[in-house]
Amino acid sequence: MNGLSYLLYLVLLLAPLGYYVLHRRGPGKSYLAGLLGISTVAATIGGIGLLWDLAAQGTALGQFAGRLLILLLPLAALAYVLRVFPHAPLVILALVPGLVSFSLLYDKHLAWPLFALDGLLLAVALGDLFTLPGPSTFSVERQTSRIASLRKPHPVLLTLSNLSHTPYHVWLRDDAPPELCPQPDLFQLQLTPRSRAVLRYALAPLRRGAFQLRTVYLRSRSRLGLWQRLIDYPLPSVVHVYPDLKQLGEYALLARTNRLSLLGVRRTRRIGQDNEFERLRDFTLDDNYKHIDWRSTARRLKLTVKDFQANQSQRLVFLIDCGRMMTNQAAGLSLLDHSLNAMLMLSYVALTHGDAVGLLCFSDEIHCYVPPTGGMRQMNRLLHAVFDRFPRLVESRYEEAFVYLTAHCRKRALVVLITNLIDEVNAHQVSRYLRS
């Protein structure tokens, strides 16, 4: 058996493994699997070639191992250094001399025609190898916003440019973690010379937290399609998945258009006491005389009274339980996720009305505390405090949370406790602290 046939047999067995790895596992996960495939091919070729040599010529095991190592090194170097693998058409091309070489068992005079066929196919494969593109052939850009909402579509834009004068068939995949659920997760397209393609996909995050998008993986094939190459483009990006922020935008839009009734919100005017001035108006028979503003009455020559409203600069503190009872699922989300969504909505409403909002997250220990503060910047502090907070499989300590709150928030405040109580012991304990 000639040396070129050894090489083609090696390509024949290596190509299906590389094809399976690249097409089934994606262009970004084939590096280690490709090396394992080469090791498997070496063992398989060793067994086939050894039986062949022993049956035909009685070649020693050491001589065969040396020849096999020499033939294996170029393919291993291509896979390890350049990340170049055989493509499916090379498998079909290698079948021809592989099947013809079995005729040497019956007629050894066919060796020279087989040498010529091997040389021709090897020249075609080597020539096509040099048509593979390099990393500078393409440029990739990623555009996405840093903030995403839980279970809401988050758009990502990939721009792929072909900087050469040669058309290429490429596959592209972004390095999105499985928790982000990219759809679609793989693009296949034909790039014309000096062209640009804009690819769009959406993320649907399944959980909150900070996620890294580090690399864009590209796979291209040669001009004849005998080889394919993997190219990595480092494009670090960070996506912070927050609780549902879309609901805040919907509330703000309905509030501006006076359609909050679509959310079940009904606005009721409550007449306040004489603690915060609201406006001046004309006197009516039912008004209290002590509310008459005599200066305005003298200036207008008409009885004028003051209207008052309830004080809106109140303090609101949320106590959110992050213990094991908040791990239960409801409508595809954990109870903690539902609690955070409700907390953010109430905080947004309170902050828009001039109240101060604070937050305390706890389980068996205190996780974070945000002091009560007014202004819409407080929403950013609340979001950053809870977006990477997850329930823990521990027993919650309510007494520690109330003691901590008493020590750090001494002014009068409305405390909203969000938890999940199923036993009477914790229920009595919470009721005792709330009453005190």
Side-chain angles (χ1 to χ4, degrees), residues 20-45:
Y20 172 80
V21 166
L22 294 173
H23 284 264
R24 298 298 181 184
R25 302 192 63 182
K29 301 180 179 179
S30 59
Y31 182 70
L32 180 58
L35 297 180
L36 296 177
I38 291 177
S39 302
T40 305
V41 168
T44 307
I45 288 295

Side-chain angles (χ1 to χ4, degrees), residues 271-278 291 306-310:
I271 303 299
Q273 301 299 320
D274 50 344
N275 55 359
E276 185 172 348
F277 174 76
E278 181 182 11
H291 293 162
K306 297 178 181 178
D307 262 352
F308 299 90
Q309 63 181 0

Side-chain angles (χ1 to χ4, degrees), residues 221-241:
R221 67 185 185 189
S222 56
R223 182 169 299 181
L224 298 180
L226 303 181
W227 303 91
Q228 52 190 351
R229 183 177 187 178
L230 302 180
I231 305 176
D232 297 347
Y233 291 94
L235 294 174
S237 300
V238 179
V239 176
H240 288 175
V241 180

